[in-house]
Structure formats: C-alpha cells, structure tokens
Amino acid sequence: MRTIGILGGMSWESTLEYYRLINQAVAESLGGLHSAPILLHSFEFQEIADMQRKDDWSGLGTRLAEAGSGLERAGAECLLIATNTMHVVAPAVREASSVPLLDIVEATGEEAVRRGYSRVGLLGTRFTMERDIYHTVFSERFGVTVDIPPDEEREFVHRVIFEELCRGEFRPESLARYVEIIGGLAGGGAEAVVLGCTEIPLLVRPQDSPLPLLDTTALHARAAATFCLGEEVAGT
C-alpha cells in the first residue's frame, strides 16, 4: 500500500472522519486487520481561522506548503488537504511537493459527472462559497453549474460551521435551517447539493436532505483509499 499524508486539524472533527473512512475502505477491500498507512500533520485550528479572517492566504499557503513538504520527507506518497476552504492554497502545496495532491474539488466533480448532474448547489464556509474554489473547475472541467444561497443564508451556513460544527455541536434547529436552504437551492434548479465543508456531513445526512448529497469528505476519503491501494485516481 502507498502512504497517505493528511494536512488536517481544520477542524479535527472532520479529520477524524477522514481517518475512519479511509481505514474502513481499506479494510473492506483487503479484509483481515488491514488498515491504511497514514501520516498526519494536524494544525492548531484557531491559528488557521485567525489567518483566514485576516485574509492572509499567502501566509496560509506557506504554512500548508511547509507541512506538506514535511509529510513528503516523512514518507507520504500523496497529500490531502482535509478541508474544502484551504484548497484556496492548493497551488502552493502542489508547488512545494513532488507527490500528488488529491484534490477534493476534482473528486467531487468526478462524482457529479458520474451521477449525471449538470447543476448543483454548494454549501460551505463563505470562503468556499464566494471564492473560486468550485465554480470554475466545475464549469470548465466538468460542465456543471454551481449555485450558492443568497447572502443572508451564506452567512448563516458559515456561522454554524465555525460556531457549532467545528466544536462538535449539532443542533436540530441548525439542521432544520440547512434543510430549508437546500430546499431553496432545489427550487432554483439544483439537482444535488455539494456539502462543501468537511464538517457539514456530520450535521446533514442523506435522509434529511430534499436533494441528493455530494459528501465531499466521503468522496475525498474514497479517493485517498483508492490511491493507497495502488489504483489510479483522477487528477493525479
């Protein structure tokens, strides 16, 4: 098996899901006591969140690139940024490393095409919804249009992520509002919704949603397990 390097801790709540999902996939494939060889660099998330609020994306790129290089030196044969938002600095991580970076947007786009979607909604942090992380890649590479909620709803989704989900709080009233927001995206023509924050799948389950879900955490973890097992992964 090939060794996976994870840039995680942003937040540790979703990094835990990556670890579980990757190891489950390897065990299901190989049986016995098999598990994935994984190296983890876990950031102190408060420091990362503070830099995000200050729009210090250059500094964030430097920090993740250095950590990725460290994982490569330690033996990682691929890298994962275990968060959607921090794919803003994916180019810096790629530039600093000679091993593949398994991209969460690519993994999600491949699944959207496989399911035959041409228009999807996107929920995530404000950074993910409003910056060009998904929009251009989905449009130009996959032919999929990305819709986001109105400003007030984007603010609610963002606040819940940082004030609740990243702290392990999953409130019924927040779930109900998320479901309403997804319903609004459905009303605008979205055929599915991208859960474009790796914590959102901890709150919104398939049975809750009026639209099919594209769970970015699960899709990214599946790509990592596929790579670990020596198989080809799209975009590498």
Side-chain angles (χ1 to χ4, degrees), residues 192-225:
V193 62
V194 174
L195 301 186
C197 166
T198 51
E199 286 80 26
I200 294 178
L202 299 172
L203 177 68
V204 181
R205 306 291 183 175
Q207 63 268 25
D208 301 316
S209 176
L211 284 175
L213 304 180
L214 289 163
D215 179 343
T216 58
T217 309
L219 294 169
H220 205 199
R222 186 175 73 187

Side-chain angles (χ1 to χ4, degrees), residues 1-4 22 26 35-37 78 223-231:
M1 285 186 284
R2 295 187 285 193
T3 300
I4 300 164
I22 293 168
V26 169
S35 60
C78 75
T226 298
F227 182 91
C228 175
L229 292 167
E231 302 171 29

